[in-house]
Amino acid sequence: MARETLNSFAQQKLDDLEAKSLRRRFVDTDRLGPALAGRDGKTLISFCCNDYLNLSYHPEVIQAAQDATARYGVGSGASRLVTGNHPLFRQLEQRLAKLKQAEDCIIFGSGYLANSGIVPTLVGPKDLIFIDELAHACLFSGTQLSGARHFVFHHNDMGHLEDLLKTHRETGGHALILTDGVFSMDGDLAPVEALAALAKAYDAWLMTDDAHGIGVLGEGRGSSFVKGRKIDVPLQMGTLSKAIGGYGGYLCADQPVIDLMRTRARTVIYSTGLPPAVIAAALKALDVIEANPEFAASPLKKANRFTQALGLANAQSPIVPIVMGDADVTLAASALLEREGFLVTAIRPPTVPTGTARLRFTFTAEHRDEDIDRLATLVKEKILIKRAAE
Ligand SMILES: *Cc1c(COP(=O)(O)O)cnc(C)c1O
């Protein structure tokens, strides 16, 4: 019976994952405030939310979303090329292009949809992709969808990337270099300047995924801006789902590239436009960020309070990982913190490489210093010292 084989296939997969401590489950999580989560009737201070500026709770952002819903309705009703292109899209695209100092911008339904759409629009089977081994899963999805031959370079290893470019660049048509700007599970930054130089030298197109950079680095402009100067990154991709507080993805680039996306990117053409409320909220979030660069910088400051308390290297972004190794050890550490009132989810393979399961701490503008200090003490005394003794 087909239905029985289907179900037993699924059950077998689940059992295998369970045995390896790799099965994942949704847990109902109520948002009780900017940095507070409710689970099983308990209030936890969340250190694992990507809402770095807590803008998903900002009163003006909420108001903007409500006003847009009242005016334009709940959903956009169709793909943007049909009737789903409410006027807020254009406003937001212009704002993002300005922020990123690019000629133009296009909004996608999410960051995942953006990368799945952008990469196959730019390269195909005759072309090449060079991608950092720790790049986000959706950059790999886009790579697979494109059918381009691809080469994975060691994380942030410019020597390895150059070797690969030297050996293979001549064997393909166009070449695309893909990397996260801020690595989502490690919190470190790509060497964007060095990448831009290699891209130039080997005639490759550089694309950075700045999901965790926009809003919080470079005065809110993201990881392609270092000390107020823009590095030459022709394809600046990112999301509205993290520091911007809502949902959606974008690409900022020169005019012909964006116009090509409008007419060819399958995830734009064949997917419904984002709801008006989401776009209006992002516009208001950008107002808040641009009006207050110090506020934008605060999550990184909070992260550094934590790293300093623990004697770790300075944080480069609001993300701080503590690699534990095994999945079950990491789950136990996460459960310990939860009993103490902190929500810090265990990150396990395949989200991170095997043997590098970790606690991933994210810091937000509204975290109180005393909570960060208490968390650091707990981590030091109950997790790190215990681990060192084993
Ligand atoms: C979260 C994330 C994405 C996906 O963005 P969504 O808008 O959540 O789909 C893409 N790239 C990176 C690096 C991310 O961290």
Side-chain angles (χ1 to χ4, degrees):
M1 295 285 282
R3 183 183 295 252
E4 275 156 31
T5 56
L6 170 62
N7 288 342
S8 69
F9 155 80
Q11 194 58 51
Q12 187 61 47
K13 285 256 175 195
L14 289 169
D15 293 346
D16 289 349
L17 289 167
E18 191 80 63
K20 296 183 197 140
S21 296
L22 294 180
R23 177 164 175 184
R24 302 162 189 231
R25 290 185 168 82
F26 292 135
V27 182
D28 285 354
T29 308
D30 200 358
R31 299 267 320 261
L32 300 174
L36 295 179
R39 279 194 173 179
D40 295 329
K42 206 171 149 188
T43 301
L44 302 167
I45 304 172
S46 172
F47 280 91
C48 54
C49 187
N50 301 321
D51 184 15
Y52 301 114
L53 298 169
N54 311 106
L55 290 175
S56 73
Y57 258 77
H58 195 288
E60 287 176 40
V61 175
I62 293 172
Q63 189 62 52
Q66 286 172 339
D67 292 348
T69 301
R71 170 141 188 217
Y72 298 107
V74 171
S76 67
S79 153
R80 292 181 61 188
L81 286 166
V82 182
T83 55
N85 201 42
H86 52 79
L88 295 170
F89 275 113
R90 197 64 210 127
Q91 284 183 44
L92 181 58
E93 287 170 345
Q94 282 168 352
R95 280 292 291 281
L96 284 166
K98 191 155 164 261
L99 182 75
K100 296 283 188 177
Q101 294 178 12
E103 284 183 13
D104 203 357
C105 169
I106 180 168
I107 306 286
F108 292 79
S110 72
Y112 203 112
L113 285 171
N115 283 338
S116 308
I118 296 164
V119 178
T121 304
L122 295 175
V123 291
K126 297 200 176 84
D127 304 313
L128 307 173
I129 290 175
F130 299 86
I131 181 168
D132 188 288
E133 62 180 338
L134 296 186
H136 193 267
C138 59
L139 282 171
F140 281 94
S141 296
T143 296
Q144 280 180 347
L145 286 169
S146 76
R149 263 192 302 140
H150 73 280
F151 304 93
V152 180
F153 60 92
H154 301 152
H155 177 51
N156 277 354
D157 185 339
M158 295 301 98
H160 189 216
L161 173 58
E162 180 152 26
D163 286 347
L164 290 172
L165 284 164
K166 255 192 201 128
T167 312
H168 302 288
R169 176 63 190 94
E170 297 284 300
T171 68
H174 299 301
L176 189 57
I177 299 175
L178 299 177
T179 183
D180 290 14
V182 178
F183 286 86
S184 56
M185 296 299 135
D186 293 78
D188 58 343
L189 309 185
V192 182
E193 266 187 293
L195 284 160
L198 280 178
K200 205 166 177 185
Y202 288 89
D203 183 27
W205 304 330
L206 175 61
M207 170 159 147
T208 58
D209 175 340
D210 216 22
H212 296 275
I214 186 171
V216 290
L217 296 182
E219 299 193 317
R221 293 173 191 274
S223 65
S224 339
F225 292 79
V226 177
K227 298 195 177 89
R229 198 168 59 79
K230 180 171 179 249
I231 300 166
D232 186 17
V233 180
L235 298 157
Q236 298 185 78
M237 176 272 164
T239 78
L240 309 171
S241 322
K242 280 126 191 185
I244 308 299
Y247 197 55
Y250 64 82
L251 174 69
C252 290
D254 285 346
Q255 195 65 61
V257 176
I258 299 302
D259 283 341
L260 181 67
M261 293 296 152
R262 292 196 174 105
T263 181
R264 293 293 291 178
R266 293 174 66 84
T267 53
V268 171
I269 301 171
Y270 300 108
S271 189
T272 301
L274 278 168
V278 172
I279 304 297
L283 275 163
K284 183 56 76 178
L286 289 178
D287 287 343
V288 175
I289 291 167
E290 287 177 29
N292 194 348
E294 237 166 75
F295 177 63
S298 65
L300 180 58
K301 287 214 181 89
K302 302 272 175 190
N304 273 319
R305 187 179 181 91
F306 181 75
T307 54
Q308 275 153 23
L310 285 172
L312 302 173
N314 273 350
Q316 294 176 282
S317 74
I319 304 165
V320 178
I322 294 188
V323 176
M324 304 294 296
D326 290 339
D328 49 356
V329 177
T330 313
L331 286 171
S334 169
L336 184 150
L337 293 177
E338 186 164 337
R339 287 195 295 278
E340 300 285 346
F342 294 109
L343 184 57
V344 184
T345 308
I347 307 289
R348 293 171 282 167
T351 305
V352 292
T354 306
T356 71
R358 66 197 63 186
L359 295 171
R360 172 181 178 270
F361 301 83
T362 52
F363 293 85
T364 73
E366 304 268 344
H367 278 129
R368 296 186 313 172
D369 287 345
E370 57 261 44
D371 292 327
I372 295 172
D373 296 347
R374 193 161 68 82
L375 176 64
T377 305
L378 261 174
V379 169
K380 191 194 265 175
E381 292 177 357
K382 297 262 174 78
I383 296 174
L384 294 182
I385 291 180
K386 191 166 153 259
R387 187 178 60 165
E390 271 162 9

